[in-house]
Amino acid sequence: MTWKLEEFFKDKNECLMEINRFGNLYKKLELFKRCDLENENNLFSFLNFYEKYEALRDEFESYIKLLEMADYHNNDSVIIRTKFKQISSKIENIIDDIFNDIVEDDLLKKHNKNPEYRKYKKIVDDYYFKGEDEVERTYNTFDMLMKEIITNDVNIMYFKHTFLEIINNYFVSLKENLDGKNYEEYIFEVHEELEKEDFVNLTNLVKQNSLVNSRYFSIATEYIPKNIKIGYENAKYIVQNALTPLGMEYKSLLYASLNDDSIDYQKRKYKSKDNCTYMPTNHRAFVNINYSDDIESVLTLAHEAGHMLSHNIKQKNNRGIGEVQNPICEFYSLTNELLVGNELLKNANTLDEKISISYELIDTYYINLFMALFHADLSLQIGNEINKKSYIDMKSITSLSSKMIKKYNLFNEKGIWIDSSLFECINSIYYTYGTYGIIGASNICEAINNKTFNVKDYIEILKKKCSNDFELYDILGCNPTKLYTIQKAMDNYSNLIENTRDLVYEKKKRR
């Protein structure tokens, strides 16, 4: 099933017609360019105009992105993208000029007594710090090279020096914009939601528990799990049933989204290979997965359904607000994933099924507890190194990677540092949100089993506007910055591995 996108535009022709109308905004911007922006009314009128412009631009960007995800060889999307870029580039240039005047002359500061000042300051700050061009250019360069390597089945290490150069170019350009500030301090200054002390405590406790991964690796070498077939319609039923503990309101909304056109799950030649949820402002979420009739796909469906419902419920209760990246954004998805995995495990009939499901659950913990933290930590270390020396060489990046691999006791993969996560840079802390999410989700699953879970609180939290701190975790009693909460999740991971070892042992006895 593919998405129906008429809620954006009826068809290509309507979209092109609206793009032409969009181009008329240039004349309005010329007026702003000529007017006196020191005047409070003129300045605030422009910022209000820009806010509406952004929402309108996002409509086109979202529509084009969804067309490209569904079929990146679609000629209509190429025509629309080309036309939109042609017109929007002209508009963006004049907007850049106006914002440069506002920032250079610090025009907003003169009106700091205005009751709307904070709102307008946020608009200016968001524009000034958006940094989209450099992030996108670097990521696109990395992504194109990576796709070529995968398509041609080439050893990634042949291109390690090219990847190193891309990483250096990006971090050096970031350093130039820090105005002499310490890189790590700047990161935690930007991410006020996370105290450096909490990050250090998290990394230390995860490190202390990392030996458990050795037990995971040992059973992975003893038994290759069977491929358990689960069709998509059956997967929908499993997901709906497993998420019943989240309440009838959640289940009702989940049923509606699983059975309309919100999820594009079928594999196609030119469809995006990413499993992701696209969450446009003022619209429902659109899920893209490539369903493969296996356990991993069932858990992927559950995960993306968590993002989808989080966004949709917030949209319904807070107009124009959706899920954004914050400490709780992965929590809903990983709660779904663990609940569905546990339900599959409970209803498994054979040892092969139990072992295969357990492997997937272990992998969910491993990726989010250890790999996510590894990427955040490594990105910080590379940033610090380049901040001090203006360049990182192959020996240093390899040494840093090895150090981080040992710290978190990871499976040692060559070129593990060649990863797009490094290009998040100032947003590298986002990768800890997966770690915080799995810690919170693990504790919630335990609360559900112990009958201490509060459904009403969970739904109310889903309805709230996004928060950039940990207060929502606190309401549910699973704050992942607390050491005992982190340890409880570690214990759950360890117990899962032990139970799986017992299953593998039982399987070997029966041979």
Side-chain angles (χ1 to χ4, degrees):
M1 180 183 290
T2 54
W3 304 309
K4 295 181 178 67
L5 301 176
E6 286 84 358
E7 63 192 78
F8 290 93
F9 304 103
K10 184 174 67 178
D11 54 25
K12 177 187 82 172
N13 292 332
E14 183 182 67
C15 183
L16 290 171
M17 183 176 69
E18 291 299 323
I19 289 173
N20 284 328
R21 290 179 62 191
F22 178 72
N24 293 332
L25 296 178
Y26 188 81
K27 293 178 182 176
K28 178 76 171 173
L29 285 164
E30 283 185 316
L31 294 176
F32 281 120
K33 179 69 177 167
R34 292 198 297 269
C35 75
D36 178 15
L37 289 176
E38 290 193 17
N39 178 281
E40 183 178 76
N41 289 334
N42 291 341
L43 177 60
F44 290 175
S45 291
F46 167 72
L47 294 174
N48 283 324
F49 171 85
Y50 175 72
E51 197 173 32
K52 291 171 183 171
Y53 159 79
E54 266 201 315
L56 186 56
R57 183 197 61 201
D58 286 349
E59 284 285 301
F60 291 108
E61 289 284 5
S62 295
Y63 181 66
I64 295 166
K65 178 68 174 175
L66 288 166
L67 286 178
E68 291 171 344
M69 286 172 71
D71 181 357
Y72 55 80
H73 271 208
N74 184 329
N75 194 48
D76 285 353
S77 65
V78 174
I79 293 169
I80 293 169
R81 168 72 73 187
T82 303
K83 181 70 174 176
F84 180 70
K85 192 170 182 182
Q86 177 189 358
I87 288 176
S88 63
S89 293
K90 186 180 175 185
I91 291 172
E92 290 288 334
N93 286 337
I94 195 169
I95 286 176
D96 276 341
D97 289 342
I98 296 171
F99 267 104
N100 284 337
D101 291 341
I102 293 170
V103 172
E104 282 177 14
D105 297 332
D106 207 1
L107 298 180
L108 194 59
K109 190 175 182 180
K110 299 172 185 178
H111 311 293
N112 60 7
K113 302 298 182 185
N114 189 292
E116 295 283 284
Y117 173 76
R118 290 185 69 182
K119 169 193 167 183
Y120 294 125
K121 186 176 186 304
K122 186 176 187 311
I123 293 172
V124 174
D125 287 348
D126 286 349
Y127 187 87
Y128 186 71
F129 289 114
K130 64 180 182 176
E132 173 267 334
D133 289 341
E134 188 63 32
V135 172
E136 194 164 311
R137 277 197 298 272
T138 308
Y139 181 80
N140 287 342
T141 304
F142 174 91
D143 194 43
M144 283 190 291
L145 180 56
M146 186 63 80
K147 281 178 179 174
E148 285 293 316
I149 289 168
I150 293 170
T151 301
N152 296 296
D153 195 23
V154 179
N155 186 334
I156 197 170
M157 295 309 289
Y158 292 161
F159 294 88
K160 62 184 180 181
H161 292 287
T162 305
F163 282 118
L164 181 66
E165 197 63 31
I166 294 171
I167 290 168
N168 269 294
N169 288 342
Y170 184 52
F171 276 89
V172 167
S173 68
L174 178 68
K175 180 187 175 184
E176 290 169 358
N177 293 317
L178 292 182
D179 297 325
K181 289 183 182 178
N182 175 278
Y183 176 75
E184 189 171 292
E185 286 177 2
Y186 180 73
I187 298 298
F188 288 101
E189 183 182 304
V190 171
H191 290 277
E192 295 175 340
E193 72 277 13
L194 182 63
E195 297 288 338
K196 185 177 178 181
E197 182 184 356
D198 289 331
F199 180 77
V200 171
N201 287 338
L202 175 65
T203 57
N204 285 341
L205 192 51
V206 171
K207 176 188 174 183
Q208 288 169 28
N209 285 269
S210 64
L211 285 176
V212 70
N213 290 333
S214 298
R215 285 185 277 145
Y216 173 28
F217 302 148
S218 70
I219 60 172
T221 59
E222 291 177 31
Y223 179 81
I224 299 173
K226 304 289 184 186
N227 185 16
I228 308 300
K229 291 282 185 181
I230 303 175
Y232 183 73
E233 290 302 318
N234 192 19
K236 287 199 303 182
Y237 172 79
I238 291 167
V239 169
Q240 289 173 76
N241 191 53
L243 300 183
T244 298
L246 301 182
M248 289 310 297
E249 185 176 354
Y250 190 94
K251 189 174 181 180
S252 174
L253 293 168
L254 175 66
Y255 179 84
S257 294
L258 287 175
N259 290 285
D260 61 18
D261 67 322
S262 294
I263 303 173
D264 185 354
Y265 66 90
Q266 293 173 324
K267 291 182 176 180
R268 296 188 300 278
K269 185 175 181 181
Y270 299 121
K271 178 188 169 186
S272 169
K273 300 295 186 290
D274 294 334
N275 294 313
C276 62
T277 301
Y278 194 78
M279 298 175 276
T281 306
N282 294 320
H283 291 274
R284 62 189 166 123
F286 294 86
V287 173
N288 185 81
I289 62 175
N290 293 275
Y291 195 82
S292 300
D293 292 333
D294 56 18
I295 295 166
E296 183 181 359
S297 291
V298 179
L299 296 185
T300 298
L301 176 62
H303 185 100
E304 300 306 333
H307 285 307
M308 175 173 63
L309 261 69
S310 171
H311 175 82
N312 291 350
I313 290 171
K314 282 179 176 59
Q315 279 286 355
K316 184 179 176 183
N317 290 276
N318 304 279
R319 190 167 176 266
I321 298 291
E323 184 179 271
V324 296
Q325 285 182 308
N326 61 54
I328 206 165
C329 63
E330 288 296 322
F331 165 71
Y332 309 113
S333 294
L334 290 165
T335 297
N336 281 13
E337 209 170 325
L338 292 186
L339 285 173
V340 170
N342 291 337
E343 181 73 8
L344 282 167
L345 196 56
K346 184 173 74 176
N347 294 307
N349 296 315
T350 67
L351 269 176
D352 283 331
E353 288 176 340
K354 289 176 182 177
I355 294 170
S356 296
I357 296 161
S358 294
Y359 267 55
E360 291 296 341
L361 282 170
I362 291 171
D363 206 42
T364 299
Y365 273 98
Y366 176 74
I367 288 169
N368 290 284
L369 273 177
F370 298 95
M371 288 298 294
L373 203 51
F374 163 83
H375 287 304
D377 208 349
L378 180 62
S379 184
L380 281 173
Q381 298 305 321
I382 291 173
N384 284 336
E385 183 77 5
I386 294 177
N387 195 53
K388 286 186 289 185
K389 300 180 179 177
S390 298
Y391 188 82
I392 188 166
D393 57 25
M394 188 61 66
K395 182 179 179 181
S396 296
I397 202 167
T398 304
S399 174
L400 271 180
S401 297
S402 298
K403 183 181 174 183
M404 292 293 112
I405 287 168
K406 288 176 183 174
K407 179 176 180 178
Y408 297 110
N409 193 21
L410 305 180
F411 181 74
N412 195 348
E413 298 176 56
K414 280 188 176 179
I416 195 171
W417 54 271
I418 303 175
D419 193 282
S420 60
S421 64
L422 295 181
F423 304 124
E424 293 288 345
C425 285
I426 62 170
N427 295 326
S428 59
I429 293 299
Y430 286 152
Y431 286 87
T432 63
Y433 296 167
T435 308
Y436 288 128
I438 195 71
I439 292 166
S442 185
N443 280 265
I444 285 295
C445 288
E446 193 168 302
I448 289 171
N449 289 335
N450 296 337
K451 311 295 184 188
T452 57
F453 174 66
N454 190 315
V455 173
K456 186 178 177 183
D457 282 349
Y458 191 83
I459 292 298
E460 286 306 309
I461 283 170
L462 276 167
K463 291 176 180 178
K464 283 180 180 285
K465 292 183 181 181
C466 295
S467 171
N468 280 341
D469 55 35
F470 291 85
E471 64 179 17
L472 302 184
Y473 279 117
D474 276 325
I475 294 169
L476 293 171
C478 60
N479 190 326
T481 64
K482 306 297 183 187
L483 296 182
Y484 66 87
T485 312
I486 300 170
Q487 190 58 57
K488 202 180 290 184
M490 288 293 180
D491 292 343
N492 290 340
Y493 174 55
S494 179
N495 291 337
L496 179 62
I497 290 174
E498 281 307 302
N499 292 338
T500 309
R501 282 176 64 133
D502 291 342
L503 292 170
V504 170
Y505 177 72
E506 184 65 27
K507 179 71 180 178
K508 289 166 73 175
K509 271 175 53 179
R510 294 186 185 182
R511 285 177 181 169

